[in-house]
Amino acid sequence: MTFTLYKEARLNCLYVNIAAALLRLPVLKESLPFLFNQAGLYYQDTQDEDEFVISPYYRELDDFIGELFGAHVCRKGYAGGEAYLAALKNALGTGRSAIIEADIFYLPHSGFYNRSHFPHALEVIGYKDGVFEICDHYYVYHGTLTDVEFRFIFESSLQSPFYKLLNLWNLERHDKKGTEVPDAAFHYGVIRDNYRNMSGQVLYDCPAGSRAGLEAFESICRQITRLKTMDRDASKFKAASYLYEGFRELANSRFQHHNFLKAIGENELAEAYLEADQGWMVAANLLMRAATANQFQHFEERILNRMQRVREKEAGNLELLRQWLERARPEGGGKSFMTQYSPRSGQ
């Protein structure tokens, strides 16, 4: 392997591993800001009243990986530790790295070891003489785990409430791309797609029943107000954790979109997204304070006021996108490669 750890604090644990795996193909590091370009929003209820989805990612990341880098992320789930271990060794035998997932409660290098349960992902970059070499880029850790330790982690993680299957990811390259940065048609397509999602015009790959863009705020605020009425602490903190993690991911997406906009020279628009990043992060921190103190009723008004300010900021950014698109509309109607490439484009 050409390098060990990839340090990027504002990518979630799966995305930072995908970035690291791409760099091992290799691709240009300068091209990564073009991959993590989505700054949308959708909300989805689930069958479990304590679970819901809040996400900024309205498109499949694999579409972008294929177009930008000529690669595909292969994913398969396993219901048994032995099968998972065998598949991991087979993947490493190709000379590529692999991405695994596990409950962070069982990872010895984690600060949450034997303390808190939560899903996590990390990269495995080698195997020799019964020892796996791992890179946990999210926690900036490079070390090893034995066969026995890995088997225990896998089997224990399958008993955690977060997993029914454990996924294994690896990259396959079918076309050598990524030696040049994308052109203006790509830039336009990304900004147009963010505008369409945030204005609720097109759902793209959002799950059925989703509420997209600014419309999602009503459902999100409804979940915030529910916290003070929930009787069971376990349900209350589960719902709060979904809100908290959703807000953090929305903040991260705005930061990454800020990097994308800087990379294409749109510095003024980039600063607007940095302000949105900060707004979502403040809301996340308020939720964490409420959960830590178990005082959701006390914090409710402050959190909802913050959400109103975040919504106003997102509405302002949406107007900035509209103005940018009017100025930058390319000849021929502005169809981006994503419209042509993705069968799920919603066009």
Side-chain angles (χ1 to χ4, degrees):
M1 296 294 176
T2 57
F3 75 101
T4 52
L5 293 171
Y6 173 61
K7 300 177 183 178
E8 174 48 76
R10 298 303 300 274
L11 288 174
N12 64 43
C13 61
L14 177 59
Y15 279 13
V16 74
N17 282 293
I18 289 175
L22 283 167
L23 289 174
R24 297 187 197 282
L25 283 181
V27 303
L28 287 175
K29 188 175 182 180
E30 292 78 11
S31 63
L32 289 180
F34 297 91
L35 174 61
F36 303 107
N37 60 57
Q38 298 182 70
L41 171 62
Y42 76 85
Y43 172 94
Q44 180 200 23
D45 285 311
T46 69
Q47 294 181 344
D48 188 331
E49 66 175 0
D50 300 333
E51 296 183 6
F52 45 88
V53 178
I54 301 173
S55 174
Y57 307 121
Y58 53 88
R59 302 298 292 262
E60 294 287 348
L61 188 68
D62 211 38
D63 286 347
F64 293 99
I65 292 173
E67 184 63 26
L68 289 171
F69 307 118
H72 172 63
V73 180
C74 300
R75 181 182 71 177
K76 188 173 181 180
Y78 296 86
E82 288 294 340
Y84 198 26
L85 204 61
L88 174 58
K89 291 177 181 178
N90 287 337
L92 295 173
T94 67
R96 299 287 188 200
S97 65
I99 300 168
I100 64 167
E101 61 182 352
D103 190 326
I104 203 166
F105 183 89
Y106 302 107
L107 296 175
H109 64 270
S110 163
F112 297 95
Y113 181 55
N114 285 337
R115 290 177 50 210
S116 299
H117 292 273
F118 207 77
H120 189 56
L122 60 152
E123 187 186 27
V124 186
I125 65 172
Y127 176 76
K128 184 178 181 181
D129 299 329
V131 177
F132 292 92
E133 184 179 4
I134 65 171
C135 286
D136 194 332
H137 305 279
Y138 191 80
Y139 289 110
V140 197
Y141 175 82
H142 177 215
T144 59
L145 288 168
T146 66
D147 264 323
V148 173
E149 289 172 321
F150 248 129
R151 187 176 292 106
F152 172 78
I153 290 168
F154 293 155
E155 292 174 352
S156 299
S157 294
L158 281 167
Q159 306 306 312
S160 98
F162 293 102
Y163 296 117
K164 295 178 181 177
L165 295 173
L166 290 175
N167 286 309
L168 177 72
W169 295 268
N170 62 288
L171 284 174
E172 290 185 0
R173 197 167 203 173
H174 51 79
D175 186 14
K176 193 167 185 179
K177 296 182 180 181
T179 57
E180 298 179 357
V181 295
D183 61 13
F186 177 87
H187 309 163
Y188 184 91
V190 166
I191 294 175
R192 182 207 61 191
D193 290 350
N194 274 306
Y195 175 80
R196 288 183 173 180
N197 171 259
M198 287 302 295
S199 60
Q201 294 181 31
V202 183
L203 289 177
Y204 296 102
D205 296 331
C206 299
S210 300
R211 301 190 69 181
L214 298 180
E215 288 187 1
F217 276 86
E218 180 182 346
S219 298
I220 293 171
C221 291
R222 172 170 49 83
Q223 290 293 350
I224 293 170
T225 59
R226 283 184 66 238
L227 292 174
K228 69 176 184 295
T229 65
M230 299 174 77
D231 296 329
R232 293 172 51 236
D233 283 347
S235 297
K236 185 186 304 184
F237 290 117
K238 184 178 179 182
S241 69
Y242 276 94
L243 285 165
Y244 173 74
E245 292 299 326
F247 288 4
R248 280 184 56 88
E249 199 59 27
L250 283 156
N252 287 341
S253 73
R254 273 57 182 167
F255 181 83
Q256 295 299 333
H257 196 61
H258 157 81
N259 287 340
F260 164 78
L261 291 165
K262 284 179 62 178
I264 68 173
E266 295 293 338
N267 294 326
E268 185 175 349
L269 196 53
E271 287 304 306
Y273 272 87
L274 194 59
E275 293 171 9
D277 157 40
Q278 294 163 354
W280 282 109
M281 196 62 76
V282 170
N285 291 336
L286 283 171
L287 266 169
M288 176 59 72
R289 290 179 62 188
T292 302
N294 196 9
Q295 294 183 351
F296 293 104
Q297 188 162 357
H298 174 73
F299 278 88
E300 178 186 332
E301 184 177 356
R302 293 177 63 186
I303 298 171
L304 291 176
N305 286 340
R306 172 56 58 175
M307 290 302 296
Q308 177 60 31
R309 293 171 64 182
V310 172
R311 190 189 185 287
E312 290 170 358
K313 181 59 188 173
E314 291 289 356
N317 284 359
L318 186 62
E319 174 59 20
L320 292 177
L321 294 187
R322 188 195 64 76
Q323 294 173 13
W324 187 94
L325 290 166
E326 285 297 317
R327 295 194 303 270
R329 186 186 302 276
E331 295 181 5
K335 287 186 72 176
S336 76
F337 82 84
M338 288 303 299
T339 304
Q340 304 161 21
Y341 175 78
S342 172
R344 299 181 298 276
S345 64
Q347 304 299 317

